[in-house]
Amino acid sequence: MLLSALLTSVGINLGLCLLFFTLYSILRKQPGNLYVYAPRLVDKEKSRQQESGDFDLERLLPSAGWVRNAWQLSEDEILSVSGLDGLVFTRIFTFSLRVFTIAGVIGIFILLPVNYFGNQLSDDFGHLPNKSLDSFSISNVNDGSNRLWVHFSAAYIFTGVVCYLLYYEHNYMSAKRIACFYSSKPQPHQFTILVRSIPSSSGRNFSETVESFFTENHPSTYLSHSVVHRTSKIQNLINDADKLYRKLGWMKSNNHSQQKFRRDGFLGLTGRKVSLSDHYEKKLEDLEDNVRMEQNLLAGEEVPAAFVSFKSRLGAAVALHIQQGVNPTEWVTEQAPEPRDVHWAFFSASFIKRWIFKLVVPVACVALIVLYLIPVVIVQGLANLEQLETWFPFLKGILSLTVVSQVITGYLPSLILQLFMFFVPPIMLTFSAVQGYISRSQIERSACSKMLWFIIWNVFFANVLSGSALYEVNVFLEPKNIPRVLAEAVPGQASFFISYVVTSGWTKLSSELFRLIPLVCSFWKRLFSRKDGNGFEVPSLPYYNDIPTILFFGLLGITYFFLAPLILPFLLVYFCLGYIIFRNQLLNVYAPKYETNGKFWPIAHNSTVFSLILMHIIAFGIFGLKKLPLASTLLIPLPVLTLIFNAYCQNRFLPLFKAYPTECLVKQDRKEQNEAGMTEFYDKLVTAYQDPALMPVQYARSTDRDTSPLLHSTEV
């Protein structure tokens, strides 16, 4: 790609970003758009209204200094509004900014001039806009040149800097996780474990078996238990009732002036005429009766699983980490999630169904990866004009136009790839949901890992190797050829990934700020409904989608740090924009639905270490191709030292992200044992893990049905 084509792509995306920023600055000041640009603040104001009785719309209008407000947001404020997961998310941006600021200084002021003044590809230093981007990469350095030792030294220095910053962040997040634990109020999941594979006993149900077992074996710490029931049928009825109620509420809010009728016979074609609203109300009442009847019928349909609560955190930890029964396949324990985080559908699935899905999901992921190679081939064809002219000879005249060729090679490939990527996150979330996780946070973390490796394979390796799926697999089946193959292929794709950062990164961030889809939905609701807040719900940040994207850009920066340092300024712009925009979104838009207490950070750590190892492998191959074998030999200790560093971090910090140590549990238990509020907490703990589908339904029969919840059982 020529530098002029890259500048064209940058110009287009910069124009889009400025357009989105301008529209955001205008639309966010409109009161009707508060449900789009400040839903968290609206929800907070509504809560305040219930206490004080007044709702002040003007105080919610975002100020013009949103950038300043986002910049000045402290970590304590982030913790209060988004929890430790929100802090981890912002710290990934902070870590990336530190890494790539140092990388930018080394890359732009040292490596870039060394690359540009080489003459391996060309010795013409004029006509800068018409220069190929390869002239700014390591490919332009002469084979066997002593200048390559600059890149060798940069690889060692950069690895040391990244490892130091990674250690600092890991240590910081571990300490923050412990500090948040000490400062938090008692939480039900801290005192509760999930027990599965409860053995059946003749003459006793599962509830009686659990009561007897834990009373006998944990007499001083056992508090209560809640046996899980299979409630998928009830939940389906509740979902149907909820949909019907929303439809009825929409009718009442939009059709006061005209009464609609239908026939109550077959398919609404026969029988007597009845009011459509009365028909839906009668159907809704029937659904409510069916829910109550099913609740009574399924009260005895227990699942061999129960949430068991204890009087102390230490008591729960002891029961969690010690084998409970003689048979290790019985009384299997695991940490309970937050009550609002429980994925109740997991318990309704049979063991055979979960076992089949565990086998099917990996196969489905592989199939999706192979299927995604189709748009990758299309993208590579667009990035290569000669190949595109071979496929479509009739386009040769159009492709000869400079502007057209620059747009096609510099902008369209990454845009098409991003459009196809739009459908992948919900698919990965679905795959993780059917795999058998007991909490929504586990599902999101699993989907996050799947998305990360999907992007690394399909966006990085597939575009770099540019071959069939079989060829890509064969490359990795011959480990000795991996450095050589990557060294030959990766530098040549630098221009594509620079364009990808600009198109996918900058534009996606500005669209995140603009929130086009929620804005369209809001306009649609206001067009067909008289109430803006009907069915209003504060969204949560999709970590499973955003974290993999950020980490992938980090991989590109680390990989191309010494290969093509021209990518670093574009990455710095991306991380600066993301740092400000997402802090604004955490403050005004998103509210957490559940908390993992920072467990996304190990994913970021592992991804960074993988990126470093990948950089080392490519560097090993590059120095071999550049006829500098001594540099390749001296580079061997670098990945070894990196893996040793990673092993140390895994042993030093990872246990703190899996469970809290005894020291912390005992200290917190002693601090709270004499507090007056613990008695009330224990009373609430007894019913904290009751399945919402089994809670009494309470249909709102008040006159203002449009703003009342349908079923209290749908609230977790």
Side-chain angles (χ1 to χ4, degrees), residues 194-417:
L194 173 64
V195 180
R196 292 191 288 169
S197 300
I198 301 173
S200 58
S201 302
S202 58
R204 292 196 299 184
N205 57 27
F206 288 124
S207 180
E208 294 170 343
T209 301
V210 172
E211 177 81 22
S212 173
F213 181 86
F214 283 95
T215 302
E216 179 180 352
N217 295 290
H218 301 269
S220 61
T221 57
Y222 168 72
L223 177 65
S224 63
H225 71 278
S226 179
V227 175
V228 180
H229 296 75
R230 186 169 283 110
T231 58
S232 57
K233 187 175 181 180
I234 300 177
Q235 191 60 54
N236 290 335
L237 290 174
I238 292 176
N239 292 338
D240 292 340
D242 186 56
K243 292 177 183 177
L244 186 60
Y245 177 73
R246 292 179 185 275
K247 187 174 183 179
L248 182 61
W250 181 86
M251 289 179 56
K252 287 182 173 293
S253 63
N254 291 277
N255 296 288
H256 291 294
S257 59
Q258 55 181 353
Q259 187 76 1
K260 292 188 176 182
F261 296 89
R262 62 160 286 168
R263 298 186 182 274
D264 61 356
F266 179 71
L267 296 178
L269 301 176
T270 61
R272 61 187 180 88
K273 281 188 176 182
V274 295
S275 168
L276 195 58
S277 60
D278 292 341
H279 170 75
Y280 285 148
E281 287 180 354
K282 179 63 170 61
K283 190 175 180 180
L284 189 58
E285 292 176 5
D286 292 340
L287 280 173
E288 179 190 0
D289 294 337
N290 290 337
V291 168
R292 289 173 177 157
M293 182 177 64
E294 290 294 335
Q295 286 177 340
N296 294 329
L297 291 176
L298 295 180
E301 189 175 345
E302 297 177 334
V303 175
F307 290 97
V308 182
S309 300
F310 297 82
K311 299 175 184 177
S312 67
R313 297 176 179 86
L314 182 62
V318 170
L320 174 65
H321 295 291
I322 296 180
Q323 183 177 314
Q324 296 300 309
V326 176
N327 186 347
T329 62
E330 297 178 346
W331 301 103
V332 179
T333 60
E334 59 182 294
Q335 183 66 50
E338 295 180 348
R340 60 180 179 173
D341 189 22
V342 177
H343 181 54
W344 293 102
F346 163 82
F347 300 103
S348 296
S350 64
F351 171 79
I352 298 296
K353 184 178 180 180
R354 294 199 299 266
W355 182 77
I356 291 174
F357 275 123
K358 282 186 177 181
L359 298 178
V360 170
V361 167
V363 177
C365 289
V366 173
L368 183 62
I369 289 174
V370 174
L371 185 64
Y372 195 79
L373 291 176
I374 297 175
V376 171
V377 172
I378 297 174
V379 164
Q380 287 302 317
L382 290 174
N384 190 334
L385 284 180
E386 291 78 9
Q387 186 174 352
L388 195 62
E389 290 176 356
T390 303
W391 289 352
F392 307 102
F394 57 90
L395 295 178
K396 186 173 296 185
I398 300 177
L399 295 176
S400 61
L401 299 176
T402 303
V403 176
V404 175
S405 63
Q406 289 178 353
V407 170
I408 290 178
T409 58
Y411 183 74
L412 284 184
S414 51
L415 178 62
I416 292 175
L417 202 61

Side-chain angles (χ1 to χ4, degrees), residues 76-146:
D76 290 336
E77 291 174 317
I78 294 176
L79 279 172
S80 65
V81 300
S82 298
L84 195 56
D85 289 340
L87 180 61
V88 166
F89 187 72
T90 58
R91 292 297 294 193
I92 294 175
F93 278 105
T94 303
F95 168 75
S96 301
L97 282 171
R98 289 171 176 169
V99 167
F100 293 111
T101 298
I102 298 173
V105 172
I106 299 173
I108 299 301
F109 296 104
I110 299 177
L111 297 180
L112 191 65
V114 172
N115 294 341
Y116 182 73
F117 289 109
N119 54 16
Q120 179 74 21
L121 302 179
S122 173
D123 56 2
D124 180 13
F125 302 114
H127 307 290
L128 188 62
N130 294 325
K131 295 282 287 185
S132 170
L133 292 183
D134 291 337
S135 301
F136 300 91
S137 72
I138 196 173
S139 302
N140 198 40
V141 180
N142 292 9
D143 293 347
S145 173
N146 287 329

Side-chain angles (χ1 to χ4, degrees), residues 627-641:
K627 297 179 175 55
L628 201 66
L630 181 59
S632 296
T633 303
L634 294 177
L635 200 69
I636 293 177
L638 196 54
V640 176
L641 293 174

